[in-house]
Structure formats: C-alpha cells, structure tokens
Amino acid sequence: GERRSGIKFQMFQRANGLSEDLIWHCKTIINEREVVHKLMCRCADISQRLEKQVTQIIDDGESNSTIEQPDILNKSLELKAYQLVGLNWLALLHKHHVNGILADEMGLGKTVQAIAFLAFLYQKGDKGPHLITVPASTLDNWIREFKHWCPELKILLYYGSLEDRKLLRSDILHKIVDFNVIVTTYSCSISNADDRSLFRRVKLHYAVFDEGHMLKNMSTIRYQHLMTFNAQHRLLLTGTPLQNNLLELMSLLNFVMPNMFSSSTSEIRRMFSSKAKTSDEQSTFEKGRIAHAKKIMKPFILRRLKSEVLQQLPPKQDRLEICSMSEKQGQAYTALFKKLKRSINRNEKSDLCNVMMQLRKMANHPLLHRQYYTADKLRKMSKLMKKEPTHRDANPDLIFEDMEVMTDFELHLLCQEFGSIRNFQLDKNLLLDSGKFQILEQMLEDLKTQGSRVVLFSQFTMMLDILEVFLKHHKYRYLRMDGKTQISERIHVIDNFNTDMDIFVFLLSTKAGGLGINLTSANVVILHDIDCNPYNDKQAEDRCHRVGQTKTVHIIKLVSKGTIEESMLKNGQQKLKLEHDMTSSETGEEGSIPLNMATLLKASLGL
C-alpha cells in the first residue's frame, strides 16, 4: 500500500507540477481537520442528549426546578429565581457527568450559585474535597461569601508565602486538617512544582475556576498546568462572553470534555494558531467549525444577562462627556502628536503601543509627561540635591539621568520631599490644569448637592495620584484602592465605603477594581479614562450595577475631544456591537474582529 501511494503521489506531482512540501502540507491539514470533525461529532452526540433537558430547565424556570434551595444554606438568605435555575442546571450536568461553564454577566452572583451547588452536593453526601481557584483580587470575597451563605462547609485557605504553603501541604497530605473545600489563587496553585504536585495528588471531586481566562487558550503552559489537577469534575465561571475564535472554543470544549480530547489536543493546538483572525481571514472550514462548536457548546454554557433576569434591578443610564482640552494641554497634545508622527514616518518600527500610550496620557493630564521641568531646570536641581544628606556623595550627572525619565508630576513630588529643591514645586494651577478636571469640578459639585456617591475609575495609578490632589483641593472625603492595596486591606476599604455615607468618592484603578468587588452603596460611576477593551469598562461599571443596588446607576465616561480617545471610543463601540455572544448567535459570521490597535492608531495619526 505504501509503495502504491508513493507512485501515485509522484504521478500526481509530475502531472500538476506541485512541490512535494505543498502536497504533504495539504495532507497534514486534511488529517487535522478530520480529527476536529470526528471530535465535534462525538461532542455533538452528548450535546443533543442534554439539550432538551437543559432547555426545559432554563426556559421553564422555576416550574421545572426540581431542586430547592439546599437546607444547609443560611436560612435568612434566599437564592433568586434565576440562581435556583443555575443550581438546577449545574445539578443536571453533574448527573450526566459533564462539566459546565457558568457565564452569567458580571454582578449576577456566580459565586453564590457555585456555593449553593457545593452545598447541594454536601447534602447528597458528597463532602468533597473540592478546590476553588480564583484571581487574588476575589479571594477575600469568596471566603466571605462562604461564611455568609454556608458556614457549615469547612474551608481551607491555601495561600501565603512559600514557607506557609509548605506547612499547609504537609497538613493536607497527612490529613491533619479537616476541610470540604480548598480555596486558592491561580499563582498559589501553579506557580511552582510543589504546588502543582499537591493538586495532582489530592483526589478532588470538583475543581472550580473563577474568571478562568487562562482556560481559553490550550496553547499556554498555564492551561496545561491547570488541566493536570486531579479532579473528577470541573466548573468554569466567567463573566465575559465567548469570542468567535476557534482556539478559544476548542480550548473550552476540551476543558468541558477532557476525556474525549485527550488523544488529539496536539493536533488541535497546532491547527488553531492563537492569533485572532478577522472574518475575511477565517477559512470557510473555520467559520463552519465555529458555528458548529457554538451549537455543540450551547447546553454546557449558561449565560444570562442582567437585562433578562433582573427586571427588579434599577436602570443604568450611560452618558458620554466629551471634554475639550485646556489651552496648555491642547498645545502640548498637538506638539506631541506632530513629534510622534514624524518619528513613525521616519521609522516604521517605532512601537505603536508606546505611541498610543503617550497620546492617551497627554489626553488625560499634561503632568503625565515631562515638559515643565526642562533639562536646564533638572541640571540646577541635580546640583542642589548634593546638599541632601542622602545624596551627598552622589554624582549630579547620574541624578540628572534619573530625573530625565520622570514625569512632571513625579518630579513635583520629589520637590515636595527634598528641602533643597522645594522651590521647584509646580504651581497648584498646573496640577489642576486639564480639560477633564474642568468638567469634573462642576460635575462633582452637582452630584454632591444631589446626595449621590461616586466611584471614580482611572487606568493609571499616577492619574489617581493627581486626582487625589484634585479631591483634596476641593475638600471632598474619599478612599482609594489600586493594585498596591494589600489583599487583606481591600475588604476593609470596601466595607468602610459601604458603611460610612459621608465618604463621597471611591478612587479605583480599573485593574484592581475588576472582579468580585461590590460597591452598591454608590450610584454614579465616572470613568476618567476609557480602556482599549470595552469589557474592562463594563466590569468597572458592574461594581455598582449589580444585585443589591436600589438606585438608578449613572455611568459617565470622560473622553478628550479631538484625541486618540475618540478613536478608542469608536473602536470600543464596534467591539461591543460585535458582542457575538454564543448564547444568542448560531453562526460564526459576525465574528470578524474589529480594527486592531495598530490600524486604529495609523488611522488616527492620518498615516
């Protein structure tokens, strides 16, 4: 057979003048596609068996909820109707030995539904152990929700230094500690070989992954580590909709049904490069597969939107505030824009992300750059610094070099810190000089008069520093939380804000204020600067617009007029239009990925 196909191959090659490489490459692709096709058919069988029952539970809601709220849950708390539907759905998947993805929109209480499900298993005699892996920022929230909803479950926190974890491992493996559920973070569970080996050795019943974004790409090493956890069942919680990207869909299918995929993950991984493609670049095969994959996954994914299930949640009102830059800021932005455009024209390789970041910073506040502290000023300052006891032996040239890479605001703080250069502090007017601050001043005054409370977000921690100066100047009480706030501190800061109604503003960095943070005591969210990814902004908004909110929530986005931010806004709106949430779309057609950042930047620079 081998020899015959070899002769055929040579004849085919001669007749068509095709290179050997090309033909073998086609053969590989056809084989890989065959693997994917077979897999999908196998998954589709399971999917069809489940679809009818899942639809019954989801569509008929309570009338079909055979499982009541577990008795061991706190008697004074009640699951909402849609959360009970979620519990029934999880129980159904469990009965059929398949894993699921609970993808409810942010703020619908996925944590609570997962806890209720573990309580349901406990009542049926399954006492664990289970493992819950979460982002560090939501660790406190999980522990608190467990105590609140189900104090009967024994929780073990696997967290701390290398030394702490070593002791914990020994306790777990020697059965010295008694627990039903281990709660840990992604970095503590896979950061080193000892952590990983623990979760391979402990026989887990359920492994729950909260916000498991790293489970969306099977090519990553972290995905592979997480897949080696020794768990009979898995549950993934995520608030973001699935993208039309075959690698992501196959990675999640593989997560949901690992036994089916075990032999073919390498083919799949090779087949889907992790680059997102635009609709035009996706082959017909790939588009067909995306549509098929979405259809198959429908029973294993439950995604409800707040607009569907929370008729009782007050409305959310969005408002866009286009801010003209201040005069000085406008001049500085134009100068920077021209300078960056020249450098791009001269050298195509200049880092576009960096260019974009420079423009974004200037659009927000001129002091995020260095322009007022000229080289002459810095020379004088670095000589004067020699008077400081700490810098007596320092070389002024090196001090100058250090200063050269600092922003105006950082240099201003330096002048506050050292007596010898105190006279070089910036004037208060410069600190308050930005188009957004001019708008913010009147806005906050009005909100304060109305008795509103505000959560104010920024991407940049230095922007938060300048906002603090602004808030102090206007004598507003505020709290602040960013990536540097200790995990243990976070809950106190949040509780403080939710209980002391005299605190007017909560300053938050978009990164730190992401997941699992509840600030329903505020009714206004101001995004001082928007994110390139509109989902991050949506997550920020959901800190206030979630279960427990009683007032209308106002979302106000500040956007600098005539700057890169307007292009980012357009791009973001396009992305949201394409929220090709798989629960609503069957086809892969509308999955074309919007303009990428480079295209966006070139367009806005007129290149």
Side-chain angles (χ1 to χ4, degrees):
E2 273 295 302
R3 191 166 160 270
R4 234 190 7 254
S5 67
I7 295 167
K8 269 190 189 162
F9 176 77
Q10 282 168 353
M11 283 161 63
F12 179 69
Q13 191 185 357
R14 270 203 299 275
N16 294 285
L18 297 173
S19 78
E20 190 172 337
D21 279 355
L22 185 67
I23 295 171
W24 282 121
H25 187 59
C26 291
K27 191 177 172 208
T28 310
I29 289 180
I30 290 166
N31 285 348
E32 286 172 356
R33 290 189 171 184
E34 190 56 29
V35 167
V36 174
H37 187 71
K38 274 192 188 137
L39 262 176
M40 288 215 162
C41 293
R42 270 159 59 202
C43 296
D45 293 343
I46 298 180
S47 178
Q48 270 165 343
R49 283 212 310 274
L50 264 178
E51 177 131 35
K52 205 168 150 203
Q53 288 167 283
V54 168
T55 312
Q56 263 181 336
I57 286 181
I58 293 170
D59 292 353
D60 306 346
E62 295 136 285
S63 61
N64 231 308
S65 294
T66 46
I67 293 162
E68 300 296 319
Q69 176 164 327
D71 293 333
I72 63 165
L73 288 186
N74 184 336
K75 296 277 186 289
S76 64
L77 300 170
E78 198 179 340
L79 290 173
K80 302 233 174 334
Y82 70 87
Q83 292 175 328
L84 211 49
V85 169
L87 171 61
N88 274 270
W89 174 77
L90 287 167
L92 175 72
L93 294 189
H94 178 73
K95 194 172 107 185
H96 286 273
H97 306 293
V98 287
N99 303 317
I101 299 170
L102 181 56
D104 285 345
E105 195 180 3
M106 298 279 156
L108 288 181
K110 291 186 285 289
T111 306
V112 171
Q113 292 174 73
I115 291 171
F117 176 59
L118 295 183
F120 157 77
L121 292 176
Y122 186 87
Q123 271 181 209
K124 286 188 47 159
D126 179 349
K127 304 280 197 279
H130 311 296
L131 170 71
I132 299 185
T133 311
V134 308
S137 64
T138 66
L139 188 63
D140 275 339
N141 195 56
W142 270 93
I143 300 291
R144 174 204 253 177
E145 294 284 25
F146 263 116
K147 282 186 186 142
H148 191 45
W149 277 89
C150 194
E152 203 167 315
L153 283 175
K154 296 189 200 63
I155 307 302
L156 174 71
L157 183 57
Y158 185 74
Y159 187 71
S161 64
L162 284 171
E163 195 47 46
D164 296 339
R165 300 205 305 270
K166 187 177 174 184
L167 296 171
L168 279 166
R169 276 196 300 276
S170 160
D171 287 354
I172 292 168
L173 293 169
H174 294 105
K175 299 200 172 25
I176 294 167
V177 277
D178 186 21
F179 57 87
N180 306 113
V181 182
I182 300 176
V183 181
T184 186
T185 64
Y186 284 100
S187 54
C188 287
S189 63
I190 55 175
S191 60
N192 68 45
D194 293 330
D195 295 317
R196 293 194 293 271
S197 106
L198 171 70
F199 296 115
R200 280 203 288 268
R201 288 169 69 184
V202 176
K203 288 190 171 64
L204 301 163
H205 292 197
Y206 258 89
V208 179
F209 299 92
D210 187 18
E211 285 308 327
H213 300 304
M214 44 204 93
L215 288 167
K216 292 180 175 181
N217 183 350
M218 57 166 72
S219 315
T220 63
I221 188 84
R222 296 177 85 174
Y223 181 98
Q224 286 149 44
H225 286 330
L226 293 169
M227 286 299 280
T228 61
F229 287 4
N230 183 6
Q232 289 169 18
H233 310 276
R234 295 163 186 184
L235 169 62
L236 173 63
L237 310 177
T238 174
T240 44
L242 299 182
Q243 306 299 317
N244 271 358
N245 162 343
L246 206 42
L247 176 71
E248 176 175 323
L249 291 167
M250 293 307 268
S251 301
L252 290 172
L253 256 176
N254 176 42
F255 173 81
V256 172
M257 309 185 195
N259 307 346
M260 304 206 96
F261 277 69
S262 50
S263 57
S264 29
T265 43
S266 54
E267 276 95 348
I268 294 168
R269 217 176 285 150
R270 208 169 42 237
M271 228 186 114
F272 309 124
S273 62
S274 45
K275 285 201 300 292
K277 296 176 182 171
T278 62
S279 195
D280 311 339
E281 291 176 313
Q282 285 173 354
S283 65
T284 333
F285 170 80
E286 214 172 324
K287 282 183 186 163
R289 285 291 138 280
I290 286 177
H292 195 170
K294 285 191 159 185
K295 208 171 157 65
I296 291 170
M297 287 188 80
K298 215 170 174 181
F300 312 112
I301 292 184
L302 181 57
R303 176 164 173 83
R304 278 89 46 101
L305 303 178
K306 282 188 295 203
S307 52
E308 300 162 0
V309 292
L310 286 188
Q311 282 78 24
Q312 68 269 39
L313 194 68
K316 181 169 85 165
Q317 294 181 348
D318 290 285
R319 175 171 134 210
L320 201 55
E321 199 65 60
I322 304 289
C323 313
S324 299
M325 286 185 282
S326 69
E327 195 184 340
K328 284 195 177 83
Q329 185 182 13
Q331 290 163 352
Y333 187 90
T334 310
L336 176 71
F337 185 86
K338 286 178 177 159
K339 183 180 132 195
L340 291 171
K341 198 170 167 178
R342 280 197 304 274
S343 75
I344 289 181
N345 283 336
R346 273 202 311 272
N347 167 22
E348 258 307 303
K349 279 207 181 72
S350 72
D351 179 0
L352 289 177
C353 281
N354 180 35
V355 168
M356 187 161 163
M357 188 53 84
Q358 301 294 337
L359 290 172
R360 281 176 69 191
K361 285 182 173 172
M362 187 61 89
N364 278 299
H365 203 294
L367 297 192
L368 297 176
H369 281 271
R370 180 172 69 79
Q371 46 179 340
Y372 294 116
Y373 286 97
T374 56
D376 285 350
K377 252 191 202 170
L378 294 187
R379 288 258 174 240
K380 286 178 193 154
M381 283 162 63
S382 43
K383 288 199 180 80
L384 289 169
M385 282 290 282
K386 293 278 289 172
K387 293 183 183 169
E388 297 291 334
T390 45
H391 291 67
R392 202 162 284 149
D393 304 326
N395 173 350
D397 292 339
L398 294 178
I399 299 177
F400 173 77
E401 274 176 33
D402 283 346
M403 286 180 174
E404 233 182 350
V405 294
M406 292 164 86
T407 64
D408 277 337
F409 186 69
E410 287 171 307
L411 289 159
H412 166 74
L413 293 181
L414 199 69
C415 296
Q416 284 183 332
E417 193 184 337
F418 292 108
S420 57
I421 52 174
R422 194 152 288 151
N423 297 341
F424 286 91
Q425 283 181 57
L426 293 176
D427 189 49
K428 187 60 142 298
N429 297 339
L430 288 179
L431 295 172
L432 302 175
D433 179 46
S434 87
K436 290 187 179 182
F437 278 10
Q438 288 167 3
I439 298 276
L440 213 46
E441 185 173 346
Q442 187 58 52
M443 190 185 284
L444 289 178
E445 201 177 305
D446 296 344
L447 290 169
K448 183 84 173 135
T449 316
Q450 295 160 17
S452 289
R453 300 178 76 221
V454 177
V455 181
L456 181 48
F457 279 98
S458 172
Q459 306 277 319
F460 311 106
T461 32
M462 201 181 298
M463 193 61 242
L464 292 177
D465 298 339
I466 306 176
L467 276 162
E468 283 198 62
V469 175
F470 173 85
L471 292 173
K472 280 178 187 148
H473 175 72
H474 291 290
K475 301 193 169 51
Y476 291 131
R477 279 189 71 198
Y478 69 90
L479 286 171
R480 169 175 174 166
M481 190 168 107
D482 58 39
K484 292 194 205 70
T485 314
Q486 291 294 318
I487 299 283
S488 51
E489 266 302 289
R490 289 183 183 192
I491 284 285
H492 301 305
V493 180
I494 293 165
D495 285 347
N496 230 340
F497 182 72
N498 284 334
T499 49
D500 183 348
M501 293 301 148
D502 287 339
I503 300 168
F504 176 45
V505 177
F506 195 108
L507 279 182
L508 252 176
S509 68
T510 318
K511 296 280 184 290
L515 315 161
I517 287 171
N518 187 340
L519 295 167
T520 41
S521 65
N523 61 315
V524 178
V525 174
I526 300 176
L527 298 165
H528 179 278
D529 33 82
I530 54 175
D531 195 301
C532 293
N533 182 348
Y535 288 115
N536 293 344
D537 286 341
K538 262 176 98 72
Q539 276 187 0
E541 296 165 17
D542 287 329
R543 297 313 103 226
C544 299
H545 194 242
R546 57 192 301 141
V547 179
Q549 179 55 268
T550 53
K551 298 177 179 174
T552 298
V553 176
H554 296 271
I555 311 290
I556 305 168
K557 289 182 178 157
L558 307 184
V559 172
S560 269
K561 190 175 178 181
T563 68
I564 184 81
E565 285 198 321
E566 286 195 313
S567 313
M568 285 167 61
L569 182 72
K570 233 197 232 121
N571 190 43
Q573 285 164 340
Q574 210 179 346
K575 244 186 190 154
L576 286 175
K577 253 202 218 87
L578 291 170
E579 185 181 308
H580 29 242
D581 178 7
M582 72 167 292
T583 48
S584 58
S585 64
E586 298 293 335
T587 71
E589 272 312 309
E590 72 292 352
S592 62
I593 284 151
L595 295 170
N596 64 21
M597 284 302 138
T599 326
L600 162 74
L601 187 67
K602 285 182 172 165
S604 54
L605 286 170
L607 295 173

